[in-house]
Amino acid sequence: MNGCEISALGLTFKNPIVAASTDIARSVEQFEAFAKSGVGAIITKSVTDAPALQDDNISRIHITDLAQKPVRGAVPEQYTFFSRGGSMVGMEAFEPKAAGMLRIAQKYGTVAIGSIAAGPVENLVRFAKRFDELWFPALELNF
């Protein structure tokens, strides 16, 4: 994608395509596959302090109405398809992968963006500082 370079938030992206935080970006190998595809940025799998969100059995798919209540029976005219992938990771599980992800991002000219889904504000701040220490140039806050 020549000629698509953009600048935002003090960062330069080779193109405006950003791979969202997903299970696919959980491992270093999967992160590299995304980087090889040519995306401008990759958002890491979210790091969380919530044990319930780290549960491997959290995956689910369902249809919700506009009030976000699961639909049972006939699907209403207006609805949302809800898909929750696999569990998020704790900082302890993420940190050993961080350097590899950043090396891969640099190798392919992709911006690596960290993702945080912490509960208390203090943990958001603590995780943000840790991502900064690990040299991630930007963060996504997953609320």
Side-chain angles (χ1 to χ4, degrees):
M1 296 182 94
N2 294 330
C4 292
E5 187 175 280
I6 62 166
S7 293
L9 307 170
L11 299 170
T12 300
F13 299 80
K14 64 183 176 185
N15 63 58
I17 300 170
V18 179
S21 176
T22 177
D23 292 326
I24 297 170
R26 179 184 297 275
S27 74
V28 174
E29 296 78 20
Q30 292 167 321
F31 190 90
E32 185 165 23
F34 255 143
K36 282 181 180 178
S37 77
V39 297
I42 304 167
I43 301 173
T44 67
K45 184 67 180 168
S46 297
V47 172
T48 187
D49 58 352
L53 294 176
Q54 294 177 33
D55 181 353
D56 289 336
N57 296 315
I58 196 170
S59 297
R60 63 180 184 239
I61 297 172
H62 61 259
I63 296 173
T64 63
D65 61 21
L66 294 181
Q68 299 300 309
K69 302 253 190 281
V71 172
R72 306 232 190 303
V75 177
E77 186 173 314
Q78 295 185 353
Y79 65 90
T80 300
F81 182 77
F82 179 86
S83 172
R84 173 76 180 98
S87 62
M88 295 180 189
V89 296
M91 185 58 82
E92 310 76 34
F94 176 78
E95 281 192 43
K97 303 172 189 176
M101 290 177 172
L102 289 165
R103 275 194 303 278
I104 289 164
Q106 185 176 24
K107 176 180 175 182
Y108 292 97
T110 300
V111 177
I113 300 172
S115 181
I116 302 170
V121 172
E122 304 82 47
N123 287 347
L124 283 170
V125 171
R126 182 171 56 88
F127 285 175
K129 286 180 180 177
R130 188 64 190 130
F131 270 101
D132 185 50
E133 292 165 356
L134 292 168
W135 294 98
F136 278 81
L139 289 174
E140 170 203 50
L141 299 181
N142 184 346
F143 294 105

